[in-house]
Amino acid sequence: MTRGLGKAETGPAIRNSESAMSRVFSGIQPSGVPTLGNYLGAIRNWVPLQDTHEAIYCVVDLHAITVWQDPKELARQTREMAAALIASGLDPDRCILFIQSHVQAHTRLAWIFNCVARLGWLNRMTQFKDKAGKDREAASSGLYVYPNLMAADIHTYHATLVPVGEDQKQHLELANDIGEKFNHDYGVDFFPRIEPLIQGVAARVMSLRDGTKKMSKSDPSDQSRINLTDDADAVALKIRRAKTDPEPLPGSEAGLEGRPEARNLVGILAAVTGTTPAEVLRDHGGKGFGAFKEVLAEALVAHLGPIQAEMKRLLADPAALDGLLRKGADRAEAIATPICEKAEELVGFLPRR
Ligand code: AMP
Ligand code: TRP
C-alpha cells in the first residue's frame, strides 16, 4: 500500500497533460440581487482574468439553497446574476460561464469530499457559525458541508487560482486540506494546491446605513445597498440618504481616520472613476457631503447605466441567455467530468463502462 508515500502509479495523468496556463475558478451565489459590493469587490476583478488565464465562472445555485430560497425567486435571481456577470464584462466566448447545478461533477466530487473532510475541520469554519447563528440545530446539513462543495467546485477543474473576498479565505484553506488529504490517503499527486487571489481592502464596499458593516444583498434594509438593478433615481436617492458625518470632506486620506462612512463614499467614487481615494480627496476635499453626494450619484449612474442597460437586454430574452449558459455548462463539463471520474477511479469506484 502506497498510502502516504507520495506518487503512486495511478498518478497525475490528467493534470500533467493540461496547458501550463493556470486555471482560474470562482463562483457567486444567486441568493439576491447583485449589489455594488459584489460588482466592485468580486465581479469586476474577474473580468481581466479572462485575458490572462483560462477562466471558469459559475453561478452557485447549489450553495444558495444551503439556506432557504423561494423557488421562483431562485430561478429569477440565477438568471439575473448570470446577466449581471455578462453585462459587467464576462464574455461567454472568452471565459466559461455556467450554472453550478448543470454540471454534475460538482456534486459527485463533493460527496467524495464529504468523506475526506473531518468534522473537526468543518467545526472551525467561521462562516457556518455566522450563518447558522444561535440555533445551530436548525441549520441545514448542506450549510455545514458547504465548504466541501466549494472545494469540489474548484478541484474538479484542477483550478489553481481563485479570486474571492477575504471572507472566503478560510474555505480555500480547507479546500487545500481536503486536496492534500485526498492525495495522501490515495497515495497520489492528483489535486493541485489552490492560491487565493484576495481582493484588496479598498474593494470592500460598506453599507450606506453603517460604514462599519459590509454592503450585503441579504441586509434587510434596501437603503443599505445599491443594487445593480436600481434605476438612476433610486441610486441618487440612496446616495443622498446615505449616512455621513457633519464635517466636510478632508483633503487627504489621513483625515478619513475614524470616519467610516466618508471613507466608504470616497472609496466608491474612486473605484467607479478609476482613480484613488487620494485623488478624490484632492479634487473634492473641503466640500460638504451634499455637493459630494451629487458628484458620486452622477458618477455611479454613468458607470452603472450601460451595465444595467445590457442586463435588461439580456433578461428580455431568457431563451438566448439560457442558451449561452447551456453552452457554458457543456464546456465546463468537458473539463470537470474527466477529472471527477479520475477521482472516482482513484477511490475505487467501478466505472460504468
Ligand atoms: P456574496 O454576496 O457574499 O455571495 O459574495 C459574492 C462575492 O462578492 C464574494 O467574492 C464577496 O467577497 C464579494 N462581496 C460581497 N459583498 C461585498 C462588499 N460589500 N464589498 C466587497 N466585496 C463584496
Ligand atoms: N462561497 C463563495 C461566496 O459565498 C461562493 C463560491 C462557491 C465560490 N464556490 C466557489 C467562490 C468556488 C470561489 C470558488 O462568495
Side-chain angles (χ1 to χ4, degrees), residues 194-214:
I194 299 164
E195 294 293 334
L197 185 66
I198 303 287
Q199 274 104 45
V201 266
R204 210 172 138 86
V205 182
M206 310 311 282
S207 158
L208 299 177
R209 309 300 311 166
D210 177 354
T212 63
K213 253 174 58 187
K214 221 175 81 164

Side-chain angles (χ1 to χ4, degrees), residues 92-151:
D93 287 328
R94 282 188 297 148
C95 71
I96 297 179
L97 178 65
F98 70 103
I99 294 168
Q100 186 186 31
S101 63
H102 290 179
V103 178
Q104 288 175 18
H106 294 247
T107 39
R108 284 163 64 181
L109 189 59
W111 179 258
I112 294 176
F113 285 176
N114 284 344
C115 303
V116 172
R118 307 289 91 184
L119 288 185
W121 302 356
L122 294 174
N123 285 338
R124 285 196 287 275
M125 294 297 111
T126 56
Q127 183 175 292
F128 175 76
K129 292 179 199 168
D130 291 346
K131 284 200 179 177
K134 283 207 184 72
D135 193 4
R136 253 199 234 190
E137 302 280 312
S140 76
S141 37
L143 187 64
Y144 192 65
V145 294
Y146 177 116
N148 298 343
L149 175 61
M150 184 165 159

Side-chain angles (χ1 to χ4, degrees), residues 243-249 259 287-289:
K243 185 179 166 198
T244 46
D245 56 47
E247 302 296 318
L249 278 170
R259 301 178 66 186
K287 266 192 193 143
F289 276 104

Side-chain angles (χ1 to χ4, degrees), residues 23-284:
R23 197 172 269 159
V24 165
F25 184 96
S26 199
I28 189 161
Q29 297 193 52
S31 48
V33 180
T35 68
L36 183 68
N38 296 133
Y39 171 70
L40 292 178
I43 302 172
R44 202 170 67 145
N45 301 303
W46 294 1
V47 175
L49 292 166
Q50 295 177 108
D51 298 320
T52 51
H53 295 75
E54 182 180 0
I56 306 173
Y57 298 122
C58 173
V59 180
V60 292
D61 53 352
L62 299 169
H63 278 110
I65 63 159
T66 57
V67 297
W68 171 251
Q69 304 291 333
D70 179 82
K72 279 209 182 77
E73 287 291 291
L74 180 64
R76 190 180 59 75
Q77 288 167 4
T78 300
R79 277 211 190 92
E80 204 167 78
M81 183 58 82
L85 294 175
I86 298 172
S88 302
L90 294 190
D91 175 352
D93 287 328
R94 282 188 297 148
C95 71
I96 297 179
L97 178 65
F98 70 103
I99 294 168
Q100 186 186 31
S101 63
H102 290 179
V103 178
Q104 288 175 18
H106 294 247
T107 39
R108 284 163 64 181
L109 189 59
W111 179 258
I112 294 176
F113 285 176
N114 284 344
C115 303
V116 172
R118 307 289 91 184
L119 288 185
W121 302 356
L122 294 174
N123 285 338
R124 285 196 287 275
M125 294 297 111
T126 56
Q127 183 175 292
F128 175 76
K129 292 179 199 168
D130 291 346
K131 284 200 179 177
K134 283 207 184 72
D135 193 4
R136 253 199 234 190
E137 302 280 312
S140 76
S141 37
L143 187 64
Y144 192 65
V145 294
Y146 177 116
N148 298 343
L149 175 61
M150 184 165 159
D153 292 341
I154 303 162
H155 282 312
T156 203
Y157 297 91
H158 278 163
T160 54
L161 197 61
V162 182
V164 280
E166 183 72 37
D167 56 333
Q168 296 300 314
K169 215 172 139 182
Q170 196 187 30
H171 287 159
L172 294 188
E173 282 160 14
L174 187 88
N176 272 327
D177 290 343
I178 291 174
E180 223 163 76
K181 182 164 163 57
F182 181 100
N183 288 347
H184 178 271
D185 288 353
Y186 295 102
V188 290
D189 178 19
F190 186 62
F191 291 118
R193 277 197 74 76
I194 299 164
E195 294 293 334
L197 185 66
I198 303 287
Q199 274 104 45
V201 266
R204 210 172 138 86
V205 182
M206 310 311 282
S207 158
L208 299 177
R209 309 300 311 166
D210 177 354
T212 63
K213 253 174 58 187
K214 221 175 81 164
M215 181 181 285
S216 167
K217 53 189 174 217
S218 53
D219 192 299
S221 164
D222 191 59
Q223 293 297 315
S224 71
R225 62 177 162 263
I226 304 281
N227 303 308
L228 281 192
T229 48
D230 286 343
D231 62 21
D233 289 344
V235 170
L237 192 65
K238 285 178 178 180
I239 293 296
R240 215 175 305 134
R241 287 194 183 152
K243 185 179 166 198
T244 46
D245 56 47
E247 302 296 318
L249 278 170
S252 71
E253 272 186 281
L256 291 175
E257 204 53 55
R259 301 178 66 186
E261 284 83 15
R263 182 187 294 282
N264 188 37
L265 297 186
V266 167
I268 294 174
L269 184 60
V272 295
T273 53
T275 57
T276 62
E279 287 173 275
V280 167
L281 292 173
R282 201 192 52 214
D283 293 347
H284 301 285

Side-chain angles (χ1 to χ4, degrees), residues 317-340:
D317 189 352
L321 182 59
D322 291 355
L324 288 177
L325 294 169
R326 209 171 324 115
K327 236 164 64 197
D330 289 342
R331 290 170 64 204
E333 206 156 49
I335 302 170
T337 305
I339 294 175
C340 175

